[in-house]
Amino acid sequence: MAAVLYPAGRYIVPPKAGESAAGTVTLPFAPDEIRENEGKIFKFGSRPGILVRLATGELRAFSAACTHLGCIVQYRPDVGHIWCACHNGHFDLNGHVVQGPPPEGLETYVVNVRGDQIVVSKGA
Amino acid sequence: MARIQTWLADAAAWLEDRIGYSGLQKLAQKKDVPVHRHTIWYYLGGMTLFLFIVQIATGILLLFYYRPSAEEAFESVQFLMAEVKFGWLVRSIHSWAANLMIFTLFLHLFSVLLVKAYRPPRDLTWFSGVGLLGLAMAFGFTGYLLPWNELAYFATRVGTEITGVFPVVGDFFLSVARGGEDVTGATLTRFYAIHVAVLPGATLVILGLHLFLVQKHGMSVPPSVEQEGGARGVMPFFPNFLLRDLVGWLTALAILAALAAFIPAELGQKADPFAPAPAGIKPEWYFMFMFQTLKYLPSHILGIEGELVGVLGFAVAGLFLLLVPVLDRRGARGESSKVFTWIIIGAIVYILVLTYLGYTANPTV
């Protein structure tokens, strides 16, 4: 019995893919392509990230996967929050939860502007 | 004419020799259906079965054009809807019949609960019925992803993420459900295999058992009717009940055709794994009460993550539903069990209110 069930069971468990190796990415848009009070989704390896330009002009980046049930968040200029449409979770621009069901804040990334390139990397 | 009659008689004798169908005929003639004020609820199981047959037929037709990959799924459904003659009709009927089937299944479930038809010796019939409910919801969940559109993508992301909230084993379940860490083309092919092969196979086995048990035990007469002196009489299953059943099926077919023609299934936008979830995103209506509950739960309840509390709560409710025939001891003895009646009514009200809120509450506040 085990000789049949083990291979069959093991077959449906997918092989472990290597973790996304991306520690740093250069975004496919220039700093002047994101306006104040605007957010853009970008690819951070195989995961989504979100870049937000604050009203002060500062750029901040976070993981875009909601910590509640994994939906991709968006920036809402009307309230100045990062917002998850799935279950109405709100995050402030430090990535902290301010409203709704997410159990923890968004992972924050480091943003560097080098000439006309935006480079985002995971924190130390 | 005489020649045709002889030919028919020969064919009947040939069949009788090989499959002995007269036994089935005798069985059908012996089967009676009790007549009382709750007889109408007996038709819902057959109605659900009819809609399932429609699903099989239209599902097979959809397989002729559907391509199960992240690159081609959306385009193949688009082609089916726009170019294939009556493609829009087949897909719309498949989509509407799925919704109507879940609707009649819920009515069947709650009517069986309220007339206490789950009492022994029909407890095994009940267990198989709850199994079929689980399979129907799994059909809905896996089928929803197949067009690979935006709504389906996020519904699947949320739905599969729920399997990941369980401590220790969550990540393993999540990876098996998705075929990897994220919802990708691997999830699509996995859901496709489950939707068109695993679930139909499992359904046929459990449905066979369910129908056999219904046949074996006959229709249950509610305790309230028994206390009033029993049913008014009986109606032969064949042909009286079956013909009434067929009228119901024809009505369902007419409703289905009208819905498919006037409100055809939509396709929406192609899924983009790097686009934010759109505002107002919703799951299928039969998952709405759970979706809305998860929305209202705070991030932590007594130090435990809110979504874990919610998911465990629904798991316990599902277990309670399955074990109703075991837990309702008074009902099993044929006595009145008002507590269970009120729990069931409470559950119906909860589902209705949360579903209503899901469709009417402003999603952005």
Side-chain angles (χ1 to χ4, degrees), chain B residues 206-262:
Chain B
I206 300 181
L207 184 61
L209 173 69
H210 193 72
L211 294 177
F212 166 75
L213 291 170
V214 170
Q215 172 63 36
K216 180 171 169 53
H217 297 299
M219 302 300 199
S220 158
V221 176
S224 59
V225 174
E226 275 172 355
Q227 281 154 18
E228 290 160 13
R232 285 200 298 271
V234 291
M235 169 198 317
F237 176 81
F238 186 83
N240 302 41
F241 187 82
L242 188 64
L243 286 175
R244 284 172 170 79
D245 237 356
L246 289 176
V247 171
W249 294 14
L250 278 176
T251 310
L253 191 62
I255 293 171
L256 202 53
L259 287 169
F262 292 113

Side-chain angles (χ1 to χ4, degrees), chain B:
Chain B
M1 191 68 185
R3 185 174 289 180
I4 294 174
Q5 277 175 342
T6 316
W7 185 83
L8 281 175
D10 286 350
W14 186 88
L15 263 183
E16 174 62 26
D17 279 348
R18 278 145 190 89
I19 58 172
Y21 69 89
S22 60
L24 283 176
Q25 217 172 6
K26 275 183 204 144
L27 206 66
Q29 277 161 359
K30 262 203 294 186
K31 190 173 160 66
D32 287 328
V33 178
V35 179
H36 49 78
R37 64 175 191 276
H38 293 302
T39 298
I40 184 114
W41 303 117
Y42 293 152
Y43 294 97
L44 289 168
M47 182 81 82
T48 310
L49 176 63
F50 167 70
L51 291 165
F52 180 63
I53 293 166
V54 172
Q55 287 302 87
I56 295 175
T58 49
I60 290 170
L61 291 175
L62 290 174
L63 288 177
F64 281 78
Y65 289 96
Y66 180 71
R67 295 188 207 142
S69 77
E71 292 73 32
E72 294 183 301
F74 182 84
E75 285 75 9
S76 68
V77 179
Q78 207 170 38
F79 174 76
L80 176 99
M81 297 287 284
E83 304 289 336
V84 178
K85 296 279 184 225
F86 298 110
W88 64 274
L89 184 65
V90 173
R91 177 167 175 254
S92 299
I93 288 181
H94 194 72
S95 164
W96 275 112
N99 283 291
L100 286 183
M101 186 182 84
I102 300 270
F103 179 69
T104 55
L105 210 158
F106 268 115
L107 290 183
H108 183 46
L109 170 93
F110 285 117
S111 64
V112 166
L113 275 171
L114 288 171
V115 299
K116 319 267 186 212
Y118 52 77
R119 292 168 299 143
R122 295 181 179 80
D123 39 4
L124 190 55
T125 320
W126 170 260
F127 297 147
S128 60
V130 173
L132 289 171
L133 171 73
L135 288 170
M137 292 182 93
F139 263 119
F141 184 63
T142 51
Y144 199 49
L145 179 68
L146 300 187
W148 198 246
N149 59 21
E150 201 178 39
L151 278 180
Y153 177 79
F154 283 105
T156 308
R157 223 180 141 93
V158 170
T160 50
E161 189 84 19
I162 283 172
T163 60
V165 304
F166 294 102
V168 188
V169 292
D171 284 346
F172 173 76
F173 284 153
L174 182 68
S175 156
V176 172
R178 288 181 173 175
E181 285 179 15
D182 279 310
V183 176
T184 60
T187 319
L188 182 69
T189 46
R190 189 159 283 239
F191 274 35
Y192 173 73
I194 293 170
H195 191 78
V196 306
V198 179
L199 294 175
T203 302
L204 287 181
V205 172
I206 300 181
L207 184 61
L209 173 69
H210 193 72
L211 294 177
F212 166 75
L213 291 170
V214 170
Q215 172 63 36
K216 180 171 169 53
H217 297 299
M219 302 300 199
S220 158
V221 176
S224 59
V225 174
E226 275 172 355
Q227 281 154 18
E228 290 160 13
R232 285 200 298 271
V234 291
M235 169 198 317
F237 176 81
F238 186 83
N240 302 41
F241 187 82
L242 188 64
L243 286 175
R244 284 172 170 79
D245 237 356
L246 289 176
V247 171
W249 294 14
L250 278 176
T251 310
L253 191 62
I255 293 171
L256 202 53
L259 287 169
F262 292 113
I263 317 171
E266 289 179 3
L267 184 54
Q269 300 292 318
K270 185 173 179 174
D272 177 358
F274 288 93
I281 186 162
K282 287 178 180 63
E284 287 281 63
W285 61 270
Y286 40 90
F287 291 120
M288 182 58 98
F289 70 99
M290 294 191 255
F291 176 83
Q292 198 65 13
T293 303
L294 290 178
K295 222 170 188 172
Y296 289 141
L297 288 177
S299 59
H300 289 87
I301 300 168
L302 302 172
I304 306 170
E305 288 185 1
E307 77 251 24
L308 181 60
V309 174
V311 172
L312 283 177
F314 285 121
V316 170
L319 193 64
F320 176 83
L321 183 74
L322 179 71
L323 296 178
V324 161
V326 181
L327 298 172
D328 184 9
R329 302 309 306 162
R330 287 175 64 89
R333 291 193 297 268
E335 296 167 17
S336 153
S337 52
K338 287 209 161 49
V339 175
F340 274 82
T341 305
W342 283 111
I343 292 174
I344 295 154
I345 292 172
I348 295 171
V349 170
Y350 180 82
I351 291 171
L352 289 177
V353 169
L354 269 286
T355 305
Y356 173 78
L357 288 172
Y359 283 102
T360 55
N362 185 343
T364 61
V365 245

